[in-house]
């Protein structure tokens, strides 16, 4: 386990500020809180501050006092000046600011600001917030929102909120400080460097390492030009750079920087200073991560002694090193000492930081594992419950306001915490059956989080917003697609095309924040967290079960991957858990066997044994099973699994595939629309096999639709073009596309060279690697990196997200491999299926392998006959598969297609 676990990703919009005022040049410098790793320092231009104190006025005399305090703070005399500043601030009367001139306002608010930074440094966060908000109120009312004094307050409050765990507020304020300083043309100032540095540390905590490195490098370059590499402030910038390089596994660079910082701080501040202790702690963290364990404890012991002398016990920095001690003992296998230190850290962090903070979550996770490793499972169980609650609190409070990219990063980190808990459940559910309910509730609440949020923002904008906001949303989707395409291209080619990816990305990010705020999503709580097994059970009838399949990256197990199958019935007091430990074999050897048996049309009873037999006993008495798949189970059609008796599951169970257990709680009414949009038999041209069967399929369905008093809109042959389809898609009741589909896995690009750059070094978005081929394609799917103007005849999954399908009951993708994509544990398949869901579609029929043209035609026409006659989509699909099976017994013919939701 790495010693630093950062879990939060939160973004808010930067609000618009008023125009800046002109200020007295002698008072233009204001104290800036400077985040130094996980601590706070103060940046202020001391010579300028001294100059501002000249003149003999009351304001000037107070300025001289403040200069003296600021100088003392920067030389470590924090406690001495705390009481002096408190006396000074308590004597300030701010009840009538209208009588104060600009200089008096600046000086009075500066006293509050100084005290806020001192409180922040001492870990007195609530006191710091109170006086800093007073300074902000004084400056905004008296000086305006874009005054330099006010901008420094944005920075200071943003830095404070970072350490309080209020990351949403922090990012808003720090971005505002950077933006307003930029408007004043101060991009080369130390103030700008400090604000950039602080924003860099926040990006790092939010998991945006590349963004953090970019801002860190920029701040170091500015500081070097302004002050040189020997200033105290420059060392703070270097420390943040070292931490970022460590996270990027540039360990030699990080160590070189940390040793340089340690030497300078030792010479400048001495071996008893908090500055020196800070250097030791960061070195200890690096050595823990690189398994240089023998070098860790002496560093921690010295730093702990210094912090106890300097800060005392009740300080966040002391709590941090106590937690780090516990993590160290966990790493070397001394679990009793690990528990002792981590329990101490937990009690301190609960009081000092609160249960949202990243450091508190890291402490809990390691503490739970320490109890688990030492066989104290009851205590481990209690800590895991606290850990789960903290994780869900983060989801409730922060997830709805993140961009989709940040949600992905957040959940990648948070899932690792869940995997630890899920592994614990696998090992201990027999002793504590209630753990299975907790695990199910967590999975119900978190599966498909990102898809759910994408659907929520679209529904909020498309369904209830102005035309202007809808157009802005669609423009945002277009620009996201362009950005993904450019990102997949070699950098040299992008530069030659005159595209600035950084600016483009920033523009898209800003648009997304604006969309979220304007669509009122900030005011909405995350409503699916409260979902539990009882709500699901209320929707299950007798003879029905929910089967949740969960892929688990195993901790403390004999296999790296396991699968948990949780079965829930209406009357079960506790759900049943099936532990399928050999998950890596299911994903490789056995899945390869399944695919080959399908492709070669062989009899296959092995796949039933491996994928279903362990689950079957717990489904006894069930006639209908709602299955929510994860991992490799997304790539298997359970209806095709064959028992030794030669019976398929198709004949034994009514299997309903859903995207998540939450789907059972939706009560969506059928669309009132009566149009059916049909596309088939495109004119591909050279390089593609013609699909004459799709022409027959479309003609038959068109006639069936007419007979049932629905309105068919048919696009055939030459007219089946990309731009024609995009114009026609406007919430049809049914969208049926019969053509070639494609999915390009990552490995298909490896070792290719384009313009001197290997494609396997370029991250290609999965929604660009899956799509549908329409008339007159200008290129092959694998050539998607070649720039083409206009429509190219390939409808990518990315483009599908622009479709209007909120009133569409069913999308049928009668094409090959339309159900494939990148499988992301806990989120499903990133491909066409996901894009049609984001676009608002209800149910989706797609395919898992290349399909037989004639059998597909037969399946689709039989399905429409039954569905249009009965209105029962699920039963009609099952009956259509049964009819095809009579003529084509092997599942290769009838099992490729699956109906989702």
């Amino acid at each position: 386990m790495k010693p630093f676990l950062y879990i939060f990703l939160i973004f808010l919009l930067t609000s618009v500020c008023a125009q800046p005022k002109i200020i007295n040049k002698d008072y233009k410098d204001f104290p800036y809180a400077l985040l130094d790793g996980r601590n706070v320092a103060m940046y202020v231009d001391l010579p300028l501050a001294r100059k501002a104190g000249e003149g003999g006025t009351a304001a000037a005399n107070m300025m001289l006092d403040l200069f003296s305090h600021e100088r003392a703070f920067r030389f470590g005399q924090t406690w001495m000046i705390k009481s002096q500043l408190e006396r000074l601030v308590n004597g300030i009367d701010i009840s009538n600011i209208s009588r104060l001139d600009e200089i008096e306002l600046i000086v009075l608010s500066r006293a509050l600001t100084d005290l806020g930074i001192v409180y922040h440094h001492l870990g007195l966060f609530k006191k710091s917030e109170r006086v800093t908000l007073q300074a902000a109120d004084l400056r905004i009312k008296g000086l305006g929102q874009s005054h330099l004094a006010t901008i420094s307050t944005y920075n200071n409050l943003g830095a404070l909120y970072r350490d309080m765990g209020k990351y949403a507020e922090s990012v808003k304020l720090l971005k505002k400080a950077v933006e307003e300083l930029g408007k004043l043309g101060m991009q080369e100032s130390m103030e700008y460097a400090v604000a950039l540095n602080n924003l860099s540390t926040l990006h790092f905590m939010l998991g945006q390492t590349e963004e953090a490195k970019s801002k860190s490098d920029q701040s170091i370059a500015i500081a070097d030009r302004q002050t040189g590499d020997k200033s105290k402030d420059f060392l703070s910038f270097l420390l943040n750079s070292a931490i970022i390089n460590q996270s990027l596994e540039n360990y030699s660079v990080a160590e070189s920087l940390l040793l340089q910082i340690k030497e300078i701080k030792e010479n400048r501040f001495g071996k008893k200073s908090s500055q020196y202790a800070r250097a030791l702690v960061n070195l200890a963290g690096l050595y823990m991560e690189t398994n240089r364990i023998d070098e860790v404890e002496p560093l921690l012991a010295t730093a702990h002694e210094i912090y106890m002398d300097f800060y005392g016990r009740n300080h966040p920095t002391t709590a941090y090193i106590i937690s780090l001690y516990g993590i160290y003992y966990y790493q070397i296998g001394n679990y009793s000492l690990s528990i002792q230190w981590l329990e101490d850290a937990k009690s301190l962090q609960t009081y000092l930081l609160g249960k949202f903070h990243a450091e508190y979550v890291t402490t809990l996770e390691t503490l739970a594992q320490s109890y688990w490793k030492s066989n104290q499972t009851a205590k481990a169980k209690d800590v895991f419950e606290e850990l789960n609650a903290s994780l869900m609190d983060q989801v409730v409070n922060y997830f709805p306001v993140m961009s989709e990219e940040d949600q992905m990063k957040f959940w990648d980190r948070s899932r690792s915490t869940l995997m630890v808990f899920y592994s614990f459940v696998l090992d201990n559910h027999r002793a504590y059956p209630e753990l299975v309910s907790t695990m199910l509730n967590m999975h119900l609440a978190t599966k498909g989080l990102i898809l759910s949020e994408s659907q929520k923002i679209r529904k909020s904008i498309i369904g209830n917003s102005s035309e202007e906001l809808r157009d802005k949303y669609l423009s945002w989707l277009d620009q996201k697609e362009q950005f993904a395409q450019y990102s997949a291209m070699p950098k040299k080619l992008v530069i030659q095309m005159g595209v600035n990816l950084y600016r483009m990305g920033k523009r898209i990010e800003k648009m997304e924040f604006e969309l979220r705020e304007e669509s009122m999503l900030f005011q909405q709580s995350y409503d699916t967290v409260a979902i539990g097994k009882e709500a699901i059970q209320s929707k299950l009838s007798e003879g029905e079960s929910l089967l949740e399949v969960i892929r688990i990256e195993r901790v403390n197990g004999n296999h790296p991957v396991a699968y948990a199958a949780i079965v829930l019935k209406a009357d079960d007091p506790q759900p049943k858990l099936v532990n399928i430990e050999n998950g890596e074999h299911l994903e490789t050897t056995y899945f390869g066997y399944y695919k080959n048996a399908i492709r070669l049309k062989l009899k296959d009873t092995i796949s039933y044994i491996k994928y279903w037999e362990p689950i079957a006993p717990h489904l006894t008495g069930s006639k209908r099973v709602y299955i929510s798949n994860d991992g490799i189970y997304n790539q298997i059609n359970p209806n095709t699994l064959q028992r030794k008796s030669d019976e398929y599951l198709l004949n034994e169970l009514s299997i309903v595939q859903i995207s998540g257990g939450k789907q059972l709680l939706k009560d969506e009414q059928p669309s009132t629309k009566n149009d059916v949009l049909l596309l088939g038999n495109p004119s591909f041209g050279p390089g593609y096999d013609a699909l004459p069967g799709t022409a027959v399929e479309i003609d038959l369905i068109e006639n069936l639709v007419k007979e049932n008093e629905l309105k068919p809109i048919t696009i055939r042959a030459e007219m089946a073009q990309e731009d024609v389809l995009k114009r026609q898609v406007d919430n049809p009741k049914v969208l049926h596309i019969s053509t070639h589909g494609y999915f390009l896995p990552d490995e298909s690009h490896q070792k290719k060279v384009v313009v001197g750059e290997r494609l396997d070094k370029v991250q290609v978005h999965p929604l660009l690697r899956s799509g549908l081929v329409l008339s007159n394609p200008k290129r092959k799917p694998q050539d998607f990196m070649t720039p083409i103007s206009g429509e190219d005849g390939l409808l990518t999954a990315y483009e599908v997200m622009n479709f209007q399908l909120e009133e569409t009951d069913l999308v049928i993708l009668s094409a090959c491999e339309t159900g494939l994509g990148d499988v992301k544990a806990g989120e499903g398949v990133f491909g066409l299926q996901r894009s049609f869901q984001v676009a608002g579609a209800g149910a989706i029929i797609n395919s898992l392998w290349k399909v037989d043209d004639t059998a597909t035609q037969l399946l689709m026409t039989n399905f429409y006959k039954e569905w249009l006659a009965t209105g029962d989509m699920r039963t009609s699909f099952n009956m259509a598969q049964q009819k095809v099976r009579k003529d084509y017994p092997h599942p290769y013919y009838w099992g490729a297609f699956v109906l989702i939701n």
Side-chain angles (χ1 to χ4, degrees):
M1 171 185 170
K2 291 189 177 182
F4 303 107
L5 178 62
Y6 299 110
I7 302 187
F8 302 93
L9 285 161
I10 307 102
F11 282 91
L12 286 174
L13 275 168
T14 301
S15 59
V16 179
C17 296
Q19 290 297 313
K21 295 181 178 181
I22 298 174
I23 65 168
N24 186 308
K25 63 183 177 67
D26 290 340
Y27 288 84
K28 74 177 182 180
D29 184 77
F30 305 97
Y32 271 61
L34 170 58
L35 291 172
D36 177 0
R38 59 169 315 284
N39 299 276
V40 66
M42 180 191 292
Y43 166 74
V44 64
D45 190 328
L46 294 177
L48 188 59
R50 181 189 291 112
K51 181 180 178 183
E54 298 171 356
T57 65
N61 290 334
M62 182 180 285
M63 188 69 221
L64 282 173
D65 286 340
L66 291 174
F67 157 68
S68 175
H69 299 327
E70 289 160 4
R71 189 175 187 279
F73 177 90
R74 286 171 61 80
F75 283 89
Q77 300 165 351
T78 315
W79 287 102
M80 180 191 76
I81 65 170
K82 171 179 170 290
S83 58
Q84 296 173 355
L85 278 171
E86 285 174 334
R87 286 195 296 271
L88 187 62
V89 166
N90 289 335
I92 296 175
D93 178 16
I94 58 173
S95 58
N96 184 11
I97 65 172
S98 60
R99 63 178 175 79
L100 302 175
D101 64 25
E102 183 179 12
I103 293 175
E104 290 172 323
L105 273 171
I106 289 171
V107 176
L108 293 177
S109 63
R110 186 178 186 131
L112 291 167
T113 299
D114 283 0
L115 184 58
I117 295 175
V118 169
Y119 282 149
H120 183 175
H121 181 76
L122 295 175
L124 304 172
F125 293 157
K126 288 295 183 183
K127 287 187 175 183
S128 177
E129 182 181 26
R130 176 175 55 80
V131 296
T132 307
L133 285 173
Q134 284 181 326
D137 184 62
L138 190 64
R139 287 172 170 178
I140 289 171
K141 289 179 179 178
L143 302 171
Q145 294 194 55
S146 293
H147 194 286
L148 270 174
T150 310
I151 295 172
S152 74
T153 313
Y154 298 151
N155 170 82
N156 299 348
L157 198 55
L160 172 65
Y161 283 152
R162 190 210 75 166
D163 288 345
M164 292 178 72
K166 295 184 176 183
Y167 299 112
E169 293 92 336
S170 177
V171 75
K172 179 180 179 180
L173 289 163
L174 291 174
K175 282 188 171 182
K176 179 182 281 189
V178 170
E179 182 179 327
E180 292 301 321
L181 287 168
K183 288 179 181 178
L184 297 179
M186 296 180 64
Q187 291 92 336
E188 281 295 311
S189 66
M190 277 296 293
E191 289 84 355
Y192 191 82
V194 170
L196 269 183
N197 170 81
N198 293 345
L199 191 53
S200 168
T201 68
L202 183 61
H203 281 307
F204 177 73
M205 293 186 76
L206 300 179
Q208 300 171 307
T209 313
E210 293 298 334
E211 185 77 7
K213 188 175 187 306
S214 172
K215 286 184 169 54
S216 174
D217 292 345
Q218 192 177 351
S219 66
I220 287 174
I222 296 170
D224 189 28
R225 289 192 291 270
Q226 293 295 324
T227 67
D229 61 2
K230 299 301 181 184
S231 74
K232 178 175 178 289
D233 305 311
F234 191 79
L235 290 181
S236 298
F237 297 154
L238 283 186
L239 174 57
N240 292 329
S241 177
I243 294 172
I244 292 168
N245 274 284
Q246 179 179 333
S247 74
L248 293 171
E249 299 183 3
N250 299 328
Y251 295 127
S252 60
V253 174
E255 183 179 18
S256 176
L257 288 170
L258 291 175
L259 288 172
Q260 178 186 349
I261 293 167
K262 172 178 171 288
E263 182 181 358
I264 293 173
K265 288 189 172 184
E266 179 182 342
N267 293 333
R268 185 173 298 178
F269 303 107
K271 287 188 173 184
K272 296 294 183 181
S273 68
S274 63
Q275 294 281 347
Y276 179 71
R278 204 168 299 154
L280 298 182
V281 168
N282 285 289
L283 265 176
L286 175 66
Y287 293 155
M288 286 171 68
E289 189 165 327
T290 54
N291 293 317
R292 293 164 63 175
I293 298 298
D294 293 342
E295 301 174 68
V296 173
E297 188 169 23
L299 297 172
L300 290 179
T302 303
H304 179 252
E305 182 182 351
I306 295 170
Y307 281 147
M308 288 292 289
D309 288 343
F310 192 84
Y311 293 116
R313 267 183 55 80
N314 295 320
H315 190 277
T317 301
T318 308
Y320 171 75
I321 196 168
I322 291 171
S323 176
L324 204 57
Y325 241 125
I327 293 170
Y328 162 71
Y329 282 123
Y330 174 82
Q331 282 197 317
I332 65 173
N334 191 333
Y335 303 121
S336 60
L337 279 178
S338 175
I339 290 168
Q340 178 183 324
W341 285 87
L342 290 169
E343 283 285 10
D344 192 17
K346 177 192 166 196
S347 63
L348 288 172
Q349 290 172 339
T350 302
Y351 168 71
L352 295 168
L353 301 177
K355 296 184 178 182
F356 289 115
H357 204 282
E359 290 172 16
Y360 176 78
V361 173
T362 300
T363 297
L364 281 184
E365 184 176 341
T366 314
L367 179 60
Q369 291 189 76
S370 294
Y371 277 127
W372 181 12
K373 288 275 194 179
S374 59
N375 296 316
Q376 300 182 60
T377 51
K379 290 185 176 180
K381 173 177 170 290
D382 292 341
V383 178
F384 272 121
E385 288 176 357
E386 293 182 66
L387 180 62
N388 291 338
S390 292
L391 180 61
M392 295 317 301
D393 282 342
Q394 294 168 24
V395 172
V396 171
N397 287 281
Y398 301 132
F399 207 85
V401 299
M402 297 178 190
S403 69
E404 185 172 314
E405 179 184 350
D406 298 329
Q407 288 170 352
M408 294 289 292
K409 293 175 181 176
F410 168 87
W411 201 238
D412 281 345
R413 293 180 180 277
S414 300
R415 269 191 62 80
S416 67
T417 302
L418 270 185
M419 292 301 102
V420 177
F421 172 62
Y422 288 172
S423 296
F424 177 76
V425 176
L426 291 184
D427 286 352
N428 296 282
H429 70 279
R430 290 183 178 84
Y432 302 98
E434 66 273 18
L435 282 172
V436 182
S437 291
T438 305
M439 180 178 179
L440 176 60
N441 289 343
M442 289 293 290
H443 190 66
L444 289 171
T446 59
K447 184 177 182 182
L449 270 176
I450 300 163
L451 174 61
S452 175
E453 285 299 314
S454 297
Q455 291 171 323
K456 277 173 65 177
I457 188 172
R458 182 185 178 94
K459 186 175 181 180
S460 174
I461 292 172
I462 298 297
N464 306 298
S465 302
S466 66
E467 185 174 346
E468 180 181 357
L469 189 57
R470 287 196 296 271
D471 290 343
K472 186 174 184 177
Y473 173 75
L474 296 176
S475 172
W476 170 68
L477 286 179
D478 283 337
Q479 291 188 48
K480 277 183 66 179
E481 181 196 355
Q482 291 175 16
F483 181 79
Q485 290 174 332
Y486 286 132
S487 298
M489 295 179 185
K491 290 182 179 179
K492 291 180 181 178
L493 181 59
V494 174
I495 293 170
Q496 289 172 4
M497 295 170 67
V499 176
N500 187 318
L501 277 178
Y502 178 80
R503 290 179 183 173
M504 189 177 185
K506 286 299 173 188
R507 185 169 63 249
I508 292 168
E509 179 185 279
K510 183 178 180 182
M511 285 181 71
E512 182 170 1
F513 294 154
E514 291 171 353
L515 286 166
R516 287 178 177 272
E517 188 169 70
E518 292 176 46
S519 64
M520 301 302 289
L521 285 182
F522 281 126
Q523 283 70 42
Q524 298 178 15
S525 63
Y526 182 62
D527 54 8
T528 61
V529 173
I531 291 172
K533 71 179 184 69
E534 293 80 10
I536 301 297
Q537 285 178 307
S538 70
K539 297 294 184 180
L540 293 173
S541 303
E542 185 178 353
E544 293 185 337
S545 299
L546 169 67
L547 172 59
E548 281 281 357
V549 178
I550 307 174
R551 184 184 189 275
I552 300 172
E553 295 167 23
R554 199 71 161 88
V555 177
N556 299 339
N558 295 323
H559 295 270
V561 177
Y563 278 83
I566 300 181
V567 177
L568 180 67
K569 298 180 179 179
D571 55 353
D572 279 349
Q574 293 290 346
K576 303 297 188 294
L577 185 147
V578 181
N579 181 5
I580 307 173
E581 279 285 4
N582 60 335
E584 73 278 16
H585 296 148
L586 294 181
E587 295 175 351
T588 54
T589 305
Y590 297 127
F591 182 60
Y593 184 87
Y594 174 80
K595 286 197 302 181
N596 285 332
I598 291 290
R599 180 174 57 86
L600 299 174
K601 306 177 187 63
L602 302 175
K603 181 177 179 179
D604 171 19
T605 58
I606 300 295
S607 295
Y608 177 92
I609 294 171
K610 299 301 179 184
Y611 292 100
W612 198 261
E613 192 170 72
I615 304 169
H618 301 281
L619 295 172
T620 302
S622 298
K623 296 179 180 178
R624 172 170 289 186
V625 177
Y626 297 95
I627 179 171
S628 169
N629 286 318
D630 199 7
I632 198 62
Y633 278 78
N634 282 296
Q635 304 299 314
I636 291 171
N637 182 353
N639 280 327
T640 66
L641 298 177
Q642 186 179 22
R643 294 164 60 106
K644 288 183 179 179
S645 63
D646 289 346
E647 286 297 325
Y648 292 99
L649 281 184
L650 175 70
N651 301 324
E652 296 185 356
L653 286 172
S654 172
I655 294 178
V656 183
Q657 297 202 41
I658 55 178
S659 55
K662 297 189 290 284
Q663 197 71 29
L664 296 179
L665 303 180
K666 293 186 177 180
D667 186 22
E668 297 177 349
Q669 299 300 314
S671 172
T672 58
K673 304 292 284 290
N674 72 338
D675 53 329
V676 177
L677 181 56
L678 305 168
L679 182 148
N681 193 29
S683 299
F684 299 120
Y688 291 92
D689 294 332
L691 297 174
T694 65
V696 179
E697 177 185 323
I698 293 297
D699 289 343
L700 290 171
I701 294 170
E702 183 180 36
N703 291 330
L704 288 170
V705 166
K706 289 177 180 177
E707 291 171 7
N708 285 271
E709 299 182 354
L710 296 174
K711 176 186 175 184
I713 302 171
T714 307
I715 309 172
R716 297 182 179 86
E718 189 68 29
M719 289 304 295
Q721 298 175 23
E722 186 178 357
D723 58 341
V724 175
L725 176 62
K726 288 178 177 178
R727 288 197 304 270
Q728 290 290 344
V729 173
D730 184 14
N731 286 300
K733 182 180 182 67
V734 179
L735 172 60
H736 185 119
I737 301 177
S738 187
T739 183
H740 284 299
Y742 65 88
F743 169 66
L744 304 174
D746 276 339
E747 58 264 27
S748 69
H749 302 305
Q750 291 182 359
K751 298 182 182 178
K752 287 188 178 182
V753 177
V754 176
V755 197
E757 190 166 339
R758 276 182 54 171
L759 278 173
D760 59 331
K761 293 184 178 180
V762 181
Q763 292 185 350
V764 181
H765 200 289
L767 299 187
L768 289 175
R769 293 187 276 107
S770 56
L772 299 166
V773 183
L774 302 177
S775 287
N776 303 317
K778 297 179 182 178
R779 55 182 167 185
K780 291 279 191 177
Q782 59 266 32
D783 298 327
F784 66 91
M785 293 178 66
T786 305
I788 286 181
S789 60
E791 306 293 2
D792 60 3
L794 302 177
L795 180 69
T796 67
Y798 224 125
E799 293 173 292
V800 166
M801 290 193 294
N802 266 346
F803 282 6
Q804 306 291 307
L805 300 174
E806 289 76 20
E807 299 177 61
T808 299
D809 286 339
L810 175 63
V811 170
I812 299 178
L813 304 176
S814 182
C816 302
E817 300 180 324
T818 50
L820 300 186
D822 280 359
V823 179
K824 192 171 184 64
E827 271 297 318
V829 180
F830 277 68
L832 281 166
Q833 174 184 311
R834 183 183 188 85
S835 293
F836 278 106
Q837 287 177 300
V838 172
I844 300 170
I845 294 176
N846 54 30
S847 64
L848 298 177
W849 55 79
K850 294 185 177 182
V851 292
D852 179 84
D853 203 8
T854 306
T856 299
Q857 172 195 320
L858 187 60
L859 177 74
M860 293 301 168
T861 52
N862 278 315
F863 166 69
Y864 272 97
K865 285 178 184 178
E866 294 291 339
W867 179 42
L868 294 176
T870 65
D872 187 334
M873 191 183 298
R874 164 51 51 189
T875 302
S876 299
F877 187 71
N878 184 279
M879 291 179 66
Q881 287 181 314
Q882 296 278 17
K883 288 183 177 180
V884 174
R885 188 182 163 214
K886 289 179 180 179
D887 295 329
Y888 299 91
H890 197 274
Y892 166 80
Y893 296 98
W894 54 264
F897 287 95
V898 291
L899 171 60
I900 308 294
N901 295 334

